Structures are given as C-alpha cells and as structure tokens.
C-alpha cells in the first residue's frame, strides 16, 4: 500500500484529468481500495454504473459504507479474468498496478492490462495513473538530520524491490535516481508494520517506455502520456528532511489508452 507523504492539491487535479477522459456508461476501477476514485466517478457521471474491483474485503467494506447508489463493489484479483468481454466503456487503474507488480510480478501487470483490454468495448478507454520510474542516472541525496539518514541506510539494507547502491560523498549520498525517489516515497512510514510492507513494495516500477510498450503489445493505442509532478507544498514538507535534485524525477504517469 502506498503511504507516501500526503499530497495536498495534486490529488484533486489528477482526479480531474481522469474525469476529463472517461467515456460514461459502464465504468470499472480495478484496484479501487476504499473508494476515493469511485466517489469522484459517482459524483461526476450520474447516468453511469460504476464497478469497483479490489482483492481486499476490508477495503471494499469501506466502499459499501459510503453508500454510493450506482457503485457495485466486487471482490476479485484484477490479474484474473472475472468479467465478460466487452463489458465496459471505461476502465481505470489508479495506483494499483505497482501493487500487482510488487506482489505478483511484471507478467501479472501484463495480464491485468490484457484482462482490461478484453473487458473493454471497442472504442473504450483505459486510464492509468501510477508511479513513473525515472531514467537510470545518478543524483545526490542529502539527509538533513540523523534520523532521516538512519532511515535511508536502513532502506539501503532492507528494500527488497532491487539492490540499492549508495555511495557516500561530501554532503550526502550518490544514488540511482529511481532509488532516491523510491526512498522519498516511503521514508515517512509511521509504524514498523508500514515500514515492513513498504520494503516489500516497489513504487517506481515502469518507465514511460515500458508502460507504452506493454500497452501497445496488448493492442491498445496510446492517446496521451503525461508525467504528473508533486505540488510545491508537498516538496516543501519533504525538503525539511532532505535535499534531492532533480525534483522533476518524482512523477506519476497519466496514460490514456484506446481499444480500437
Ligand atoms: C494504493 S491502493 C489505490 C486505491 C484507489 N485506486 C485510490 O487511488 O484511492 C491500491 C489498491 O489495489 C488493490 N490491489 C492490489 N493488487 C490487486 C490485485 N491483484 N487484485 C485486486 N486488487 C488489487 C489493493 O488492495 C489496494 O486497495
């Protein structure tokens, strides 16, 4: 589960980007969690039926408690085939594919997107927002206090997503940019249990080209790709703890795919 420091303005703006590209009708969100995106869809598309799919019964129970009249929660694994072909006008994956990658591997990200392609009607749209892995260049990370530095060294030892290499240099550490943003996305885990969970989960899993290649191999045409950056307020909170450049390396992808 992604527990990056709370974003303020950007979540709303990112949801608006999704709403702008939805084809109303029958809409499914794969990996809906407790229903934040479902609430926006429900309010924005009063004529639509909205299916929220998640593997967590606990989270779906919260969706049920929201009492959204046209939202149907379904307990299912999104890498499996649970729906009839051509069922949906729009499908969304918002912050769910990095979890599929972390728990089930790359091939199941592909299977989830294949499942999505299959259940879309011709002309239907698939919307993806998730972490965007930056290119492989190095960056300097400077921790502003001992506590953050200890967290970073623990991240280097314990992160299981890939081997992290950090070279000590004057004023900080030299790291792969992808590892730097991965650390920033999880260093504020508030409990030991959260930290353990984060060490098993990879947030920044696909580059823009990897997202596009997988989508095109499945048969989607890519209509739009954008990198979404965090707000200045978010960065000013992070900057109290550490210095990292370039900040533009910390992005989410916004992908609009079409089934022709
Ligand atoms: C970070 S949450 C995002 C929730 C929601 N989309 C949002 O943006 O608020 C990711 C969700 O994906 C779900 N998920 C992860 N892997 C899944 C899988 N294989 N099948 C179904 N749901 C999955 C998790 O249970 C979790 O609720």
């Amino acid at each position: 589960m992604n527990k990056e420091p709370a974003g303020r303005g950007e979540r709303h703006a990112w949801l608006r980007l999704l709403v702008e590209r939805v084809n109303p009708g029958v809409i499914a969100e794969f990996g809906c969690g407790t229903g934040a995106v479902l609430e926006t869809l429900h309010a924005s598309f009063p004529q639509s039926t909205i299916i929220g799919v998640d593997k967590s019964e606990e989270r779906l129970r919260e969706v049920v408690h929201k009492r959204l009249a046209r939202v149907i929660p379904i307990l299912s694994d999104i890498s499996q085939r649970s729906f009839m072909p051509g069922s949906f006008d729009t499908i969304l994956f918002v912050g769910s594919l990095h979890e599929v990658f972390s728990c089930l591997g790359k091939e199941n990200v592909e299977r989830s997107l294949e499942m999505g392609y299959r259940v879309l009607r011709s002309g239907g749209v698939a919307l993806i927002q998730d972490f965007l892995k930056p290119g492989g260049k190095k960056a300097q990370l400077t921790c502003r206090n001992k506590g953050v530095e200890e967290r970073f060294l623990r991240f280097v030892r314990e992160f299981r997503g890939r081997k992290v290499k950090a070279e000590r240099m004057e004023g900080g550490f030299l790291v792969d940019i992808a590892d730097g943003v991965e650390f920033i996305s999880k260093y504020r885990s508030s409990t030991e249990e959260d930290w353990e969970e984060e060490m098993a989960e990879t947030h920044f899993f696909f580059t823009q080209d990897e997202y596009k290649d997988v989508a095109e191999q499945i048969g989607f045409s890519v209509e739009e790709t954008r990198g979404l950056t965090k707000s200045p307020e978010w960065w000013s909170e992070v900057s109290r703890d550490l210095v990292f450049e370039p900040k533009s390396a910390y992005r989410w992808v916004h992908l609009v795919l079409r089934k022709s």
Side-chain angles (χ1 to χ4, degrees):
M1 186 69 179
N2 160 34
K3 303 207 179 55
E4 57 177 340
R8 294 211 179 95
E10 74 266 359
R11 173 75 166 171
H12 190 67
W14 296 4
L15 283 172
R16 222 172 31 237
L17 285 177
L18 293 172
V19 165
E20 278 167 16
R21 299 307 299 258
V22 163
N23 264 354
V26 187
I27 303 170
E29 194 205 350
F30 293 113
C32 64
T34 57
V37 178
L38 296 177
E39 276 184 292
T40 299
L41 295 170
H42 188 258
S44 308
F45 301 100
Q47 309 297 327
S48 291
T49 300
I50 301 150
I51 313 293
V53 184
D54 208 281
K55 65 174 183 182
S56 160
E57 199 171 324
E58 201 184 323
R59 291 192 192 139
L60 286 179
R61 214 169 288 128
E62 290 196 39
V63 173
V64 172
H65 286 147
K66 288 187 168 141
R67 296 185 177 278
L68 304 167
R70 286 166 291 100
V71 167
I72 303 166
I74 303 224
L75 185 65
S76 177
D77 182 333
I78 61 176
S79 64
Q80 303 298 315
R81 294 184 165 193
S82 311
F83 298 95
M84 289 296 290
S87 301
F88 302 111
D89 297 285
T90 301
I91 59 167
L92 301 97
F93 296 88
V94 184
S96 52
L97 291 176
H98 74 270
E99 292 200 9
V100 173
F101 180 90
S102 302
C103 296
L104 304 170
K106 183 181 178 207
E107 61 284 5
N108 279 294
V109 173
E110 290 162 3
R111 284 182 69 180
S112 302
L113 290 171
E114 267 161 24
M115 175 284 293
Y117 185 83
R118 186 171 165 273
V119 300
L120 261 185
R121 295 195 180 129
S122 297
V125 69
L127 304 172
I128 300 174
Q129 285 185 356
D130 215 314
F131 291 94
L132 178 57
K133 188 177 180 185
K137 283 173 268 134
K138 298 275 183 184
Q140 182 172 341
L141 184 135
T142 303
C143 303
R144 287 197 190 273
N145 61 59
K146 263 269 157 276
V148 176
E149 183 172 311
E150 273 160 23
R151 272 259 147 149
F152 176 67
L153 292 172
R154 203 174 157 199
F155 168 75
V156 171
R157 289 193 306 272
E158 296 179 11
F159 180 54
R160 300 201 286 284
R162 53 187 175 257
K163 177 105 192 87
V164 177
K165 284 199 216 107
E167 234 177 89
R168 237 183 225 285
M169 57 188 292
E170 205 188 321
F173 296 93
L174 191 65
V175 290
D176 279 353
I177 291 192
D179 295 336
V181 291
E182 190 77 40
F183 172 66
I184 293 170
S185 73
K186 46 190 54 165
Y187 78 97
R188 294 202 213 181
S189 301
S190 53
T191 64
E192 191 54 30
E193 194 190 345
D194 284 351
W195 176 262
E196 285 298 324
E197 233 180 81
E198 294 292 8
M199 290 306 97
E201 193 170 298
T202 304
H203 288 157
F204 294 83
F205 69 106
F206 270 8
T207 62
Q208 192 147 310
D209 284 346
E210 286 170 324
Y211 277 111
K212 281 171 82 174
D213 287 351
V214 168
E216 284 172 350
Q217 272 160 27
I218 288 168
F220 283 112
S221 45
V222 178
E223 284 196 351
E224 187 185 344
T225 53
R226 282 196 202 196
L228 308 175
T229 52
K230 303 294 277 186
S231 65
E233 293 77 22
W234 187 88
W235 273 112
S236 90
E237 262 180 49
V238 171
S239 300
R240 278 188 229 130
D241 295 328
L242 52 86
V243 182
F244 184 77
E245 291 295 343
K247 292 186 175 44
S248 58
Y250 195 117
R251 289 188 300 170
W252 274 51
V253 76
H254 170 80
L255 268 175
V256 180
L257 311 175
R258 180 84 54 186
K259 176 174 178 176
S260 42

